[in-house]
Amino acid sequence: MKNKIKHLLLGNPLSTEQSGEKRLNKVRALAAFSPDALSSIAYANQEIYLGLALAGAAGLALSLPIGLTISVLLIIVAISYYQTIHGYPQGGGSYIVTRQNLGTMPSLVAGAAIMVDYLLTAAVSLTAGVEALASAFPVLWEHRVLAALSILLVITLINLRGLKEAGTIMAVPVYLFLFTYLPLLAYGALRLFMDGPGDIQASAPSAIQPLAGLLVLRAFASGCTALTGIEAISDGVPAFRPPQAKNAGRTLAVMAVLMFTLFVGSISLIQGLAVVPGPQETILSALARRLLGSGPLYILIQASTMLILAVAANTSFADFPRVASFLAKDGFIPRQLGNLGDRLVFSNGILILAAGTAGLIIAFQGDTHALVPLFAIGAFMAFTLSQSSMVVHWLRERGPNWQIKAAANGAGALATGTTLLVVAISKFNQGAWLTILVIPTLVIIFLKIRAHYRTVSAQLSLRGLPPSLKPAGPMRAVIPVSGVHRGMIDAVLFTQSISRQVTGVYIELEPGASKNVQEMWKRWFPDVPLVVLPSPYRSIIEPLLQFLDETDRQHNDGQMAMIVLPEFVPARWWHALLHNQTSWMIKNALLYNRREKGYQRVIIDVPYHLKR
Amino acid sequence: MKNKIKHLLLGNPLSTEQSGEKRLNKVRALAAFSPDALSSIAYANQEIYLGLALAGAAGLALSLPIGLTISVLLIIVAISYYQTIHGYPQGGGSYIVTRQNLGTMPSLVAGAAIMVDYLLTAAVSLTAGVEALASAFPVLWEHRVLAALSILLVITLINLRGLKEAGTIMAVPVYLFLFTYLPLLAYGALRLFMDGPGDIQASAPSAIQPLAGLLVLRAFASGCTALTGIEAISDGVPAFRPPQAKNAGRTLAVMAVLMFTLFVGSISLIQGLAVVPGPQETILSALARRLLGSGPLYILIQASTMLILAVAANTSFADFPRVASFLAKDGFIPRQLGNLGDRLVFSNGILILAAGTAGLIIAFQGDTHALVPLFAIGAFMAFTLSQSSMVVHWLRERGPNWQIKAAANGAGALATGTTLLVVAISKFNQGAWLTILVIPTLVIIFLKIRAHYRTVSAQLSLRGLPPSLKPAGPMRAVIPVSGVHRGMIDAVLFTQSISRQVTGVYIELEPGASKNVQEMWKRWFPDVPLVVLPSPYRSIIEPLLQFLDETDRQHNDGQMAMIVLPEFVPARWWHALLHNQTSWMIKNALLYNRREKGYQRVIIDVPYHLKR
């Protein structure tokens, strides 16, 4: 029943052999890996506007220069990642590249940074998407959290179904976005050319801060969120059809050109037309409304913005679980995150990402502007480490043109490292401190987890054991008795077949309650002794454990008694609510609670299945 | 650690022998069982006022006549319960009395009704208590839900500590209430005598409904909530010091006189002085403010009202778990509710009542007026069944003066039955329908639960088994193998000591992964065969269960293989988060999932305890 619902929602299980089939062609791959990068113009533009508008018209005049600076950064980073794809055709995420070239500690920083980045990408994309739609339908504004969570739920379910189907569903919004936005920008350019530029002095809000260096740096730092997502393809090379590196590289180039066009195009139009948004409106919505009015075309633009941002959250769902699985295979995070689920996706990673994203959306009340200061840190930290690693990679490998390649990646590392510093310092007390705190915390947790796995494996190791083992001797057996019934018969007969020293133990909760049981016991099992233990505090566990300890001590034969539990299993799971869970409590106590004394007791369950 | 916190909050465990000491003297018993009855004047007065004020001054003129009618009912019910106490000195709650005299079905109706009544008493008392305090401190008004839940939490903890200590803590507010309210009423009577009656025509709100019969009946029905709680003593006779019946009867008489005085006194003053409350104020608060102003004396009155109402919720916590334990011992509700906890209280019943009360407070947003229509039904249904049972009791027993006793209880049954009809009809569409729906639903659940227990006991019965049982034959053993490690050594050696046919089974999740394990296995266990099973869908459970079924079929010896699980137990519970819970999943699948095929497999846990 539970499985049927699961298969209906998520599809039937797929066998490991089917994993080859789930590869993406370029059109689908662009849809699967580019939405974050493309859609980031939505919040990057918005944040540049919000940052500069504090200084009024004088501030807003800097929009285009800042946009162009970020575009130069975009080109440098894209060239760097193009090289990463060819250097690491098996998949060159920051974590793997850094681990191979710079060692464990830097790679853990990169891994933590990139996981935090994916998480924030999902959260910011969803809140920004809802804000885009709420610009067209203001009634949504007060239900932002609920709307974002609903979209998150849909995306989570789609991703649990698996990558190829996700690619199919996601392709529509990505191409819808491109085929509405690019014409919009072209039309805007035409209007700007024909009507001439707008008067920013007249329309801009009045300045509430002077135009200072920190304000400009902050606007630049916020705008750098436009670059997040550009690394997604290099992480996902194995998902491409062969020749994988070539296809991935071309897809990256196409994506970078699109990003540049969308970002520089929209920011030029906003400044040129002197666009200013209303109180509950994004800057892109104001641009579209200025060009198209508030009719159906405008609503189509806003809907496609919302859709691509929703799909951008999907970039995280494709890549977060993959990075988590790399770390899991190296023993830095729980192993369960490295297991493929029924549908060949890393289900546990998807679920954890979904929970974290929901937490962020709720904690920040669906407010993109509050989330953004936490955001760019992770991405640029990973960029910097990844590019630095590539420099080391080329220095070691020295293939054709290695000097040029190393220089290009070096330039990338320098540019992204500088940006990282700018973002960290200028945004520190607006929220970046939280990310700066979380990343080293995660690294410490990763190290603790690996230490634990190593300790366990040392304790389980066979090294030092004598090559021939002496067989175990005969053991005593103790049967806790709840009453004399059919389940007890099975248990006693089984126990007699494997042990010659069998004892029943009855815990008497109310004085005198044992009389009836003792009589029945003598009638059915005359050759098995029954011990009655009083329990003045009405506990079943404590007297039983004490009895086991004492008899072990008395026998003094180095053996410990095995415990046989006759357990009747109800016919329906909810019947269990109607019975005391005594067997379960005893098993639990024997397995876990007595660990400190180092006891090792064999626990035997003899189930008796009820039919009704 | 967990236990330490528990003992600090709730006290150390008490032994069964200590239960005799926990008996109450009359002063404490009055405090433990009367608060519901005494404090009900708070909401009963309020509801009469709210009901009649709809018809303006003409309606409010009927306050005193309605109050006097309810007082007559009070006297009849009190006499009836006095007789119940003497007829059933071992504790004569509605459920027990009805079960003995009218049979199972009526007793289940009584049991369900009284449990619903206790639940609503707790909820209504808490919300009314908060409203009393909020009349003095209006800022509380918007935090009513939170305030009520906080008091609920404190009461729950106090009750989990045990009855005697509850009695001690509860006595203070009860006597504080009596020693502030009785003088207030006396002072009010003096003022009424000296100043003359107030002018209700001038102060009453204007009528919004005509003075119709239904309106008067509804006001009467709401006012009948004043009688709830009067049965508490008859349920709790065993908690009194001996001679129990005599002490309980006297306490009941004192309580009834106090109820009468408080109820008739306050309602006379309210009508006589023409008191009318402000918008966020209860009628009793308005009375106190009229007589005392808004100074410290007034605040003391409101605080003591709040306190006794909080303590009234305690009546439910003393009696709900007791009734639940009676029903549990008869097999109508889960047995766990019949077990005394560490501190000689029925902890499970207390926790369920607390959860239900919290649910009601949240669902009804802490609004007493919305809860009251659900309320009186349960109490009067239980009253009616209980009094009718007493008639049958006297007819059967025929002691001295049995005719008088039967007639008195008959009058009680008639009066309460008529009231029940009035309440059910006049309040039906204001919420009483919900209670009328819940009570038969509970009865059906009770019957289903008993049917389940009977089915189980028939299946476990030894009747029909041959008197001599043949011992179990030797069994095959299967060991699921995760790898070759220390835990595996223990498991294999143990298994070889109890079975001559041991097989290891390795589930291969990824093709080729078994090679290393196979080599290690051959080196350490050359005489134990290892079977490798492919698992294309990466499930561990399914291939294992299939293998077990198939080999059982091949051997065709009527025996089923036992499963030996080598399980390493981590040193700290939270380490479990870092490991796949494979053993647990296998155990679960073997115990529960395969039930339909009737398999019965012995499951053996060989734990290996990690030390770090």
Side-chain angles (χ1 to χ4, degrees), chain B residues 429-449:
Chain B
N429 53 12
Q430 293 183 324
W433 63 270
L434 190 57
T435 310
I436 293 172
L437 195 75
V438 163
I439 289 173
T441 309
L442 281 177
V443 171
I444 291 169
I445 293 172
F446 294 161
L447 290 170
K448 290 252 173 210
I449 289 175

Side-chain angles (χ1 to χ4, degrees), chain A residues 416-501:
Chain A
T416 53
T418 312
T419 311
L420 173 62
L421 279 178
V422 171
V423 173
I425 292 166
S426 70
K427 291 284 185 178
F428 187 82
N429 54 11
Q430 293 183 324
W433 63 270
L434 191 57
T435 309
I436 294 171
L437 195 74
V438 164
I439 289 172
T441 310
L442 281 176
V443 171
I444 291 168
I445 293 172
F446 294 160
L447 291 170
K448 290 251 173 209
I449 288 175
R450 192 179 55 168
H452 168 76
Y453 282 135
R454 289 191 168 164
T455 313
V456 168
S457 121
Q459 290 178 81
L460 290 176
S461 158
L462 296 174
R463 219 164 284 166
L465 272 195
S468 89
L469 301 163
K470 70 168 191 217
M475 273 171 96
R476 286 169 291 115
V478 170
I479 310 179
V481 173
S482 57
V484 181
H485 51 68
R486 276 196 180 248
M488 188 56 67
I489 304 256
D490 290 357
V492 174
L493 292 182
F494 170 79
T495 313
Q496 286 179 313
S497 80
I498 61 166
S499 171
R500 282 184 213 150
Q501 270 184 285

Side-chain angles (χ1 to χ4, degrees), chain B residues 231-263:
Chain B
E231 79 295 341
I233 290 178
S234 69
D235 241 358
V237 183
F240 280 80
R241 287 214 181 131
Q244 293 160 337
K246 203 173 150 198
N247 283 331
R250 283 189 184 170
T251 309
L252 174 65
V254 171
M255 183 174 91
V257 170
L258 288 170
M259 282 171 81
F260 182 89
T261 313
L262 291 168
F263 185 60

Side-chain angles (χ1 to χ4, degrees), chain A residues 256-513:
Chain A
V257 170
L258 288 170
M259 282 171 80
F260 181 88
T261 312
L262 290 168
F263 185 59
V264 175
S266 58
I267 211 160
S268 310
L269 288 180
I270 290 164
Q271 186 170 349
L273 296 170
V275 175
V276 166
Q280 290 194 337
E281 189 178 25
T282 65
I283 184 75
L284 282 187
S285 159
L287 173 63
R289 206 191 288 266
R290 168 75 161 274
L291 292 171
L292 305 172
S294 297
L297 272 177
Y298 160 74
I299 288 176
L300 180 67
I301 289 280
Q302 289 314 107
S304 78
T305 311
M306 194 283 282
L307 282 174
I308 197 174
L309 278 160
V311 170
N314 183 59
T315 310
S316 295
F317 279 89
D319 272 352
F320 177 96
R322 202 191 307 267
V323 173
S325 82
F326 294 148
L327 280 149
K329 274 172 191 148
D330 292 341
F332 290 112
I333 58 178
R335 286 197 182 132
Q336 295 91 314
L337 290 167
N339 298 338
L340 281 170
D342 279 352
R343 297 274 304 170
L344 291 173
V345 293
F346 298 104
S347 318
N348 290 325
I350 290 172
L351 292 172
I352 287 175
L353 176 62
T357 307
L360 278 179
I361 291 172
I362 293 167
F364 286 82
Q365 286 297 301
D367 183 3
T368 309
H369 187 55
L371 278 165
V372 158
L374 285 66
F375 187 18
I377 298 275
F380 279 87
M381 198 176 280
F383 289 170
T384 310
L385 285 164
S386 166
Q387 304 314 328
S388 311
S389 306
M390 287 309 293
V391 175
V392 174
H393 174 79
W394 300 124
L395 286 178
R396 281 190 189 152
E397 196 155 280
R398 306 208 170 198
N401 303 321
W402 67 270
Q403 296 94 335
I404 298 173
K405 288 172 177 170
N409 281 122
L414 200 68
T416 53
T418 312
T419 311
L420 173 62
L421 279 178
V422 171
V423 173
I425 292 166
S426 70
K427 291 284 185 178
F428 187 82
N429 54 11
Q430 293 183 324
W433 63 270
L434 191 57
T435 309
I436 294 171
L437 195 74
V438 164
I439 289 172
T441 310
L442 281 176
V443 171
I444 291 168
I445 293 172
F446 294 160
L447 291 170
K448 290 251 173 209
I449 288 175
R450 192 179 55 168
H452 168 76
Y453 282 135
R454 289 191 168 164
T455 313
V456 168
S457 121
Q459 290 178 81
L460 290 176
S461 158
L462 296 174
R463 219 164 284 166
L465 272 195
S468 89
L469 301 163
K470 70 168 191 217
M475 273 171 96
R476 286 169 291 115
V478 170
I479 310 179
V481 173
S482 57
V484 181
H485 51 68
R486 276 196 180 248
M488 188 56 67
I489 304 256
D490 290 357
V492 174
L493 292 182
F494 170 79
T495 313
Q496 286 179 313
S497 80
I498 61 166
S499 171
R500 282 184 213 150
Q501 270 184 285
V502 185
T503 313
V505 174
Y506 181 79
I507 314 288
E508 190 173 47
L509 295 184
E510 279 172 52

